[in-house]
Short mmCIF file of all heavy atoms in Angstrom, two decimals:
data_model
loop_
_atom_site.label_atom_id
_atom_site.label_comp_id
_atom_site.label_asym_id
_atom_site.label_seq_id
_atom_site.Cartn_x
_atom_site.Cartn_y
_atom_site.Cartn_z
N VAL A 656 -7.18 4.64 -2.78
CA VAL A 656 -8.04 3.48 -3.05
C VAL A 656 -7.16 2.29 -3.46
O VAL A 656 -6.61 2.22 -4.53
CB VAL A 656 -9.11 3.75 -4.19
CG1 VAL A 656 -9.91 2.52 -4.34
CG2 VAL A 656 -9.90 4.97 -3.71
N GLU A 657 -7.13 1.30 -2.51
CA GLU A 657 -6.28 0.12 -2.83
C GLU A 657 -7.09 -1.03 -3.39
O GLU A 657 -8.30 -1.19 -3.18
CB GLU A 657 -5.73 -0.42 -1.42
CG GLU A 657 -4.93 0.63 -0.66
CD GLU A 657 -5.77 1.54 0.33
OE1 GLU A 657 -7.02 1.34 0.28
OE2 GLU A 657 -5.26 2.29 1.13
N SER A 658 -6.35 -1.87 -4.19
CA SER A 658 -6.93 -3.00 -4.87
C SER A 658 -5.93 -4.02 -5.18
O SER A 658 -4.67 -3.83 -5.15
CB SER A 658 -7.63 -2.52 -6.06
OG SER A 658 -6.75 -2.07 -7.09
N GLY A 659 -6.38 -5.21 -5.49
CA GLY A 659 -5.49 -6.31 -5.98
C GLY A 659 -5.20 -7.35 -4.97
O GLY A 659 -4.44 -8.30 -5.22
N GLY A 660 -5.82 -7.29 -3.79
CA GLY A 660 -5.60 -8.33 -2.72
C GLY A 660 -6.41 -9.68 -3.12
O GLY A 660 -7.12 -9.68 -4.13
N GLY A 661 -6.16 -10.60 -2.30
CA GLY A 661 -6.87 -11.87 -2.49
C GLY A 661 -6.36 -12.97 -1.68
O GLY A 661 -5.37 -12.78 -0.85
N LEU A 662 -6.69 -14.20 -2.02
CA LEU A 662 -6.12 -15.37 -1.34
C LEU A 662 -5.16 -16.07 -2.20
O LEU A 662 -5.43 -16.30 -3.40
CB LEU A 662 -7.37 -16.36 -1.07
CG LEU A 662 -6.96 -17.70 -0.56
CD1 LEU A 662 -6.29 -17.66 0.82
CD2 LEU A 662 -8.25 -18.60 -0.44
N VAL A 663 -4.00 -16.40 -1.74
CA VAL A 663 -2.86 -16.89 -2.50
C VAL A 663 -2.17 -17.96 -1.64
O VAL A 663 -2.15 -17.86 -0.39
CB VAL A 663 -2.00 -15.87 -2.97
CG1 VAL A 663 -1.25 -15.13 -1.86
CG2 VAL A 663 -0.93 -16.37 -4.01
N GLN A 664 -1.63 -19.01 -2.28
CA GLN A 664 -0.94 -20.04 -1.58
C GLN A 664 0.46 -19.49 -1.34
O GLN A 664 1.02 -18.65 -2.01
CB GLN A 664 -0.87 -21.31 -2.43
CG GLN A 664 -2.24 -21.92 -2.68
CD GLN A 664 -2.12 -23.30 -3.40
OE1 GLN A 664 -1.01 -23.60 -4.10
NE2 GLN A 664 -3.17 -24.14 -3.26
N PRO A 665 1.00 -20.10 -0.31
CA PRO A 665 2.49 -19.70 0.05
C PRO A 665 3.32 -19.91 -1.15
O PRO A 665 3.21 -20.96 -1.91
CB PRO A 665 2.92 -20.72 1.19
CG PRO A 665 1.59 -20.97 1.82
CD PRO A 665 0.43 -21.03 0.71
N GLY A 666 4.25 -18.97 -1.40
CA GLY A 666 5.07 -19.02 -2.55
C GLY A 666 4.49 -18.30 -3.76
O GLY A 666 5.11 -18.00 -4.82
N GLY A 667 3.28 -17.93 -3.70
CA GLY A 667 2.54 -17.25 -4.80
C GLY A 667 2.86 -15.69 -4.81
O GLY A 667 3.64 -15.19 -4.03
N SER A 668 2.22 -15.08 -5.78
CA SER A 668 2.48 -13.66 -6.08
C SER A 668 1.19 -12.84 -6.14
O SER A 668 0.12 -13.43 -6.62
CB SER A 668 3.31 -13.45 -7.27
OG SER A 668 4.55 -13.97 -7.27
N LEU A 669 1.21 -11.55 -5.74
CA LEU A 669 0.15 -10.62 -5.95
C LEU A 669 0.81 -9.25 -6.32
O LEU A 669 1.82 -9.00 -5.92
CB LEU A 669 -0.75 -10.53 -4.82
CG LEU A 669 -1.68 -11.64 -4.40
CD1 LEU A 669 -2.32 -11.34 -3.05
CD2 LEU A 669 -2.76 -11.78 -5.41
N ARG A 670 -0.04 -8.52 -7.07
CA ARG A 670 0.30 -7.17 -7.36
C ARG A 670 -0.80 -6.23 -6.81
O ARG A 670 -1.89 -6.27 -7.27
CB ARG A 670 0.56 -6.92 -8.86
CG ARG A 670 1.15 -5.57 -9.18
CD ARG A 670 1.04 -5.22 -10.63
NE ARG A 670 1.95 -4.12 -11.00
CZ ARG A 670 1.72 -3.32 -12.07
NH1 ARG A 670 0.67 -3.55 -12.84
NH2 ARG A 670 2.48 -2.28 -12.39
N LEU A 671 -0.42 -5.40 -5.86
CA LEU A 671 -1.32 -4.42 -5.42
C LEU A 671 -1.28 -3.10 -6.10
O LEU A 671 -0.14 -2.72 -6.47
CB LEU A 671 -1.19 -4.21 -3.87
CG LEU A 671 -1.11 -5.45 -2.96
CD1 LEU A 671 -1.01 -5.07 -1.48
CD2 LEU A 671 -2.34 -6.33 -3.19
N SER A 672 -2.37 -2.41 -6.16
CA SER A 672 -2.41 -1.12 -6.79
C SER A 672 -3.10 -0.18 -5.80
O SER A 672 -3.98 -0.43 -5.04
CB SER A 672 -3.15 -1.07 -8.11
OG SER A 672 -2.61 -1.99 -9.10
N CYS A 673 -2.65 1.13 -5.99
CA CYS A 673 -3.23 2.22 -5.13
C CYS A 673 -3.45 3.47 -5.88
O CYS A 673 -2.46 3.98 -6.43
CB CYS A 673 -2.41 2.45 -3.85
SG CYS A 673 -2.95 3.88 -2.90
N ALA A 674 -4.58 3.74 -6.19
CA ALA A 674 -4.91 4.96 -6.96
C ALA A 674 -5.05 6.11 -5.96
O ALA A 674 -5.89 6.00 -4.95
CB ALA A 674 -6.21 4.82 -7.75
N ALA A 675 -4.51 7.20 -6.19
CA ALA A 675 -4.56 8.38 -5.27
C ALA A 675 -5.06 9.63 -5.95
O ALA A 675 -4.58 9.95 -7.05
CB ALA A 675 -3.10 8.58 -4.80
N SER A 676 -5.95 10.31 -5.26
CA SER A 676 -6.55 11.58 -5.76
C SER A 676 -5.70 12.70 -5.07
O SER A 676 -6.11 13.38 -4.20
CB SER A 676 -7.95 11.62 -5.46
OG SER A 676 -8.08 11.66 -4.00
N ILE A 677 -4.51 12.88 -5.67
CA ILE A 677 -3.59 13.86 -5.11
C ILE A 677 -3.16 14.72 -6.22
O ILE A 677 -2.76 14.33 -7.28
CB ILE A 677 -2.21 13.22 -4.52
CG1 ILE A 677 -2.63 12.15 -3.50
CG2 ILE A 677 -1.36 14.24 -3.99
CD1 ILE A 677 -1.35 11.46 -2.97
N ARG A 678 -3.28 16.04 -5.92
CA ARG A 678 -2.70 16.97 -6.87
C ARG A 678 -1.22 16.97 -6.82
O ARG A 678 -0.63 16.91 -5.75
CB ARG A 678 -3.22 18.46 -6.56
CG ARG A 678 -4.73 18.69 -6.80
CD ARG A 678 -5.04 20.07 -6.56
NE ARG A 678 -4.42 21.00 -7.37
CZ ARG A 678 -4.57 22.25 -7.36
NH1 ARG A 678 -5.33 22.89 -6.45
NH2 ARG A 678 -3.99 23.13 -8.22
N GLU A 679 -0.52 17.07 -7.92
CA GLU A 679 0.90 16.98 -7.93
C GLU A 679 1.41 15.72 -7.23
O GLU A 679 2.32 15.72 -6.38
CB GLU A 679 1.42 18.27 -7.35
CG GLU A 679 1.10 19.48 -8.11
CD GLU A 679 1.86 20.72 -7.64
OE1 GLU A 679 3.12 20.70 -7.85
OE2 GLU A 679 1.27 21.65 -7.07
N PHE A 680 0.95 14.63 -7.58
CA PHE A 680 1.25 13.28 -7.07
C PHE A 680 2.73 13.06 -6.94
O PHE A 680 3.30 12.58 -6.06
CB PHE A 680 0.66 12.26 -7.93
CG PHE A 680 0.84 10.79 -7.54
CD1 PHE A 680 0.06 10.14 -6.78
CD2 PHE A 680 1.90 10.12 -8.26
CE1 PHE A 680 0.32 8.76 -6.45
CE2 PHE A 680 2.21 8.73 -7.97
CZ PHE A 680 1.35 8.10 -7.13
N ARG A 681 3.42 13.53 -7.94
CA ARG A 681 4.87 13.33 -8.14
C ARG A 681 5.72 13.88 -7.14
O ARG A 681 6.91 13.46 -6.94
CB ARG A 681 5.27 13.73 -9.58
CG ARG A 681 5.20 15.20 -9.67
CD ARG A 681 5.68 15.72 -11.01
NE ARG A 681 5.41 17.18 -11.27
CZ ARG A 681 6.20 18.09 -10.75
NH1 ARG A 681 7.27 17.82 -10.03
NH2 ARG A 681 5.81 19.35 -10.99
N ILE A 682 5.22 14.87 -6.35
CA ILE A 682 6.07 15.48 -5.33
C ILE A 682 6.04 14.91 -3.95
O ILE A 682 6.61 15.42 -2.98
CB ILE A 682 5.76 17.03 -5.35
CG1 ILE A 682 4.44 17.27 -4.65
CG2 ILE A 682 5.88 17.63 -6.62
CD1 ILE A 682 4.14 18.75 -4.32
N TYR A 683 5.28 13.82 -3.80
CA TYR A 683 5.09 13.23 -2.54
C TYR A 683 5.80 11.84 -2.40
O TYR A 683 5.76 10.98 -3.36
CB TYR A 683 3.66 13.04 -2.15
CG TYR A 683 2.97 14.42 -2.06
CD1 TYR A 683 2.20 14.85 -3.09
CD2 TYR A 683 3.13 15.15 -1.01
CE1 TYR A 683 1.51 16.12 -3.05
CE2 TYR A 683 2.49 16.29 -0.80
CZ TYR A 683 1.66 16.89 -1.90
OH TYR A 683 1.01 18.08 -1.73
N HIS A 684 6.38 11.59 -1.26
CA HIS A 684 6.88 10.24 -0.89
C HIS A 684 5.69 9.47 -0.50
O HIS A 684 4.76 10.00 0.20
CB HIS A 684 7.81 10.32 0.27
CG HIS A 684 8.89 11.24 0.10
ND1 HIS A 684 9.72 11.42 -1.02
CD2 HIS A 684 9.44 12.20 1.01
CE1 HIS A 684 10.56 12.28 -0.90
NE2 HIS A 684 10.54 12.78 0.30
N LEU A 685 5.54 8.16 -0.87
CA LEU A 685 4.51 7.34 -0.69
C LEU A 685 4.89 6.01 -0.09
O LEU A 685 6.05 5.58 -0.20
CB LEU A 685 3.70 7.06 -2.00
CG LEU A 685 3.18 8.22 -2.60
CD1 LEU A 685 2.79 8.04 -4.09
CD2 LEU A 685 2.07 8.93 -1.84
N GLY A 686 3.91 5.34 0.68
CA GLY A 686 4.33 4.09 1.19
C GLY A 686 3.08 3.09 1.24
O GLY A 686 2.02 3.45 1.13
N TRP A 687 3.52 1.70 1.31
CA TRP A 687 2.63 0.77 1.50
C TRP A 687 2.72 0.30 3.02
O TRP A 687 3.87 0.13 3.43
CB TRP A 687 2.85 -0.47 0.62
CG TRP A 687 2.28 -0.24 -0.76
CD1 TRP A 687 2.98 0.07 -1.86
CD2 TRP A 687 0.94 -0.53 -1.16
NE1 TRP A 687 2.01 0.07 -2.92
CE2 TRP A 687 0.76 -0.33 -2.52
CE3 TRP A 687 -0.24 -1.01 -0.43
CZ2 TRP A 687 -0.38 -0.40 -3.16
CZ3 TRP A 687 -1.47 -1.16 -1.15
CH2 TRP A 687 -1.47 -0.85 -2.52
N TYR A 688 1.67 0.09 3.62
CA TYR A 688 1.58 -0.32 5.06
C TYR A 688 0.64 -1.55 5.17
O TYR A 688 -0.07 -1.79 4.28
CB TYR A 688 0.99 0.83 5.90
CG TYR A 688 1.72 2.16 5.72
CD1 TYR A 688 1.37 2.96 4.66
CD2 TYR A 688 2.59 2.57 6.64
CE1 TYR A 688 2.13 4.20 4.45
CE2 TYR A 688 3.29 3.76 6.51
CZ TYR A 688 3.02 4.60 5.51
OH TYR A 688 3.66 5.76 5.31
N ARG A 689 0.83 -2.27 6.18
CA ARG A 689 0.00 -3.42 6.46
C ARG A 689 -0.41 -3.51 7.90
O ARG A 689 0.40 -3.16 8.85
CB ARG A 689 0.50 -4.72 5.87
CG ARG A 689 1.81 -5.14 6.71
CD ARG A 689 2.37 -6.43 5.99
NE ARG A 689 3.58 -7.03 6.66
CZ ARG A 689 4.35 -7.92 6.28
NH1 ARG A 689 4.04 -8.48 5.02
NH2 ARG A 689 5.36 -8.31 6.94
N GLN A 690 -1.49 -4.21 8.13
CA GLN A 690 -1.98 -4.41 9.49
C GLN A 690 -2.52 -5.79 9.64
O GLN A 690 -3.53 -6.13 8.98
CB GLN A 690 -2.97 -3.37 10.00
CG GLN A 690 -3.27 -3.47 11.48
CD GLN A 690 -4.04 -2.27 12.08
OE1 GLN A 690 -4.73 -1.53 11.36
NE2 GLN A 690 -3.98 -2.12 13.31
N ALA A 691 -1.86 -6.69 10.46
CA ALA A 691 -2.32 -7.98 10.63
C ALA A 691 -3.17 -7.93 11.84
O ALA A 691 -3.12 -7.08 12.72
CB ALA A 691 -1.07 -8.96 10.87
N PRO A 692 -4.02 -8.95 12.00
CA PRO A 692 -4.89 -9.04 13.18
C PRO A 692 -4.19 -8.89 14.51
O PRO A 692 -3.14 -9.67 14.67
CB PRO A 692 -5.58 -10.43 13.09
CG PRO A 692 -5.60 -10.73 11.62
CD PRO A 692 -4.28 -10.12 11.05
N ALA A 693 -4.66 -8.11 15.33
CA ALA A 693 -4.07 -7.94 16.80
C ALA A 693 -2.70 -7.38 16.73
O ALA A 693 -1.88 -7.50 17.67
CB ALA A 693 -4.08 -9.22 17.56
N LYS A 694 -2.26 -6.72 15.61
CA LYS A 694 -0.97 -6.13 15.53
C LYS A 694 -1.02 -4.67 15.12
O LYS A 694 -2.04 -4.23 14.52
CB LYS A 694 -0.04 -6.95 14.44
CG LYS A 694 0.37 -8.32 14.94
CD LYS A 694 1.35 -8.92 14.08
CE LYS A 694 1.83 -10.25 14.55
NZ LYS A 694 2.87 -10.85 13.71
N GLU A 695 -0.02 -3.92 15.34
CA GLU A 695 0.05 -2.50 14.95
C GLU A 695 0.30 -2.43 13.44
O GLU A 695 0.92 -3.35 12.82
CB GLU A 695 1.28 -1.87 15.69
CG GLU A 695 1.09 -1.75 17.11
CD GLU A 695 0.09 -0.73 17.60
OE1 GLU A 695 0.00 0.28 16.87
OE2 GLU A 695 -0.64 -0.96 18.52
N ARG A 696 -0.20 -1.46 12.78
CA ARG A 696 0.03 -1.11 11.47
C ARG A 696 1.59 -0.86 11.21
O ARG A 696 2.21 -0.16 12.15
CB ARG A 696 -0.70 0.14 10.97
CG ARG A 696 -0.78 0.08 9.39
CD ARG A 696 -1.74 1.25 8.87
NE ARG A 696 -2.67 1.80 9.80
CZ ARG A 696 -3.97 1.80 9.54
NH1 ARG A 696 -4.47 1.28 8.48
NH2 ARG A 696 -4.71 2.42 10.40
N GLU A 697 2.12 -1.48 10.23
CA GLU A 697 3.56 -1.22 10.04
C GLU A 697 3.94 -0.78 8.60
O GLU A 697 3.11 -1.06 7.66
CB GLU A 697 4.37 -2.56 10.33
CG GLU A 697 4.00 -3.70 9.30
CD GLU A 697 4.87 -4.91 9.58
OE1 GLU A 697 5.89 -4.82 10.24
OE2 GLU A 697 4.38 -6.01 9.09
N LEU A 698 4.96 -0.03 8.34
CA LEU A 698 5.44 0.27 7.03
C LEU A 698 6.09 -0.88 6.38
O LEU A 698 7.01 -1.55 6.99
CB LEU A 698 6.31 1.41 7.22
CG LEU A 698 7.05 1.93 5.89
CD1 LEU A 698 6.04 2.56 4.92
CD2 LEU A 698 8.15 3.02 6.23
N VAL A 699 5.67 -1.10 5.22
CA VAL A 699 6.21 -2.33 4.47
C VAL A 699 7.21 -1.88 3.37
O VAL A 699 8.36 -2.43 3.28
CB VAL A 699 5.11 -3.11 3.67
CG1 VAL A 699 5.62 -4.13 2.83
CG2 VAL A 699 4.03 -3.61 4.72
N ALA A 700 6.90 -0.82 2.70
CA ALA A 700 7.80 -0.23 1.73
C ALA A 700 7.54 1.26 1.41
O ALA A 700 6.34 1.65 1.66
CB ALA A 700 7.56 -1.01 0.35
#
């Protein structure tokens, strides 16, 4: 469950959060991805 998005001006900042219902969360590699209009989803971090 992702949260924290919004409208921001160029040069601004946001902090996104993602709550995961995973047992043993600590043993998994995790990533943030994004998908812009008409583009493929890509790995960000």
Side-chain angles (χ1 to χ4, degrees):
V656 180
E657 302 90 350
S658 62
L662 173 63
V663 62
Q664 292 187 342
S668 298
L669 284 173
R670 188 192 193 207
L671 306 183
S672 299
C673 173
S676 61
I677 303 175
R678 292 183 62 184
E679 298 191 65
F680 176 88
R681 62 182 175 80
I682 70 172
Y683 295 100
H684 308 316
L685 299 166
W687 278 100
Y688 305 80
R689 68 185 180 188
Q690 187 166 22
K694 292 190 175 181
E695 296 286 324
R696 194 170 352 229
E697 63 174 346
L698 175 66
V699 174

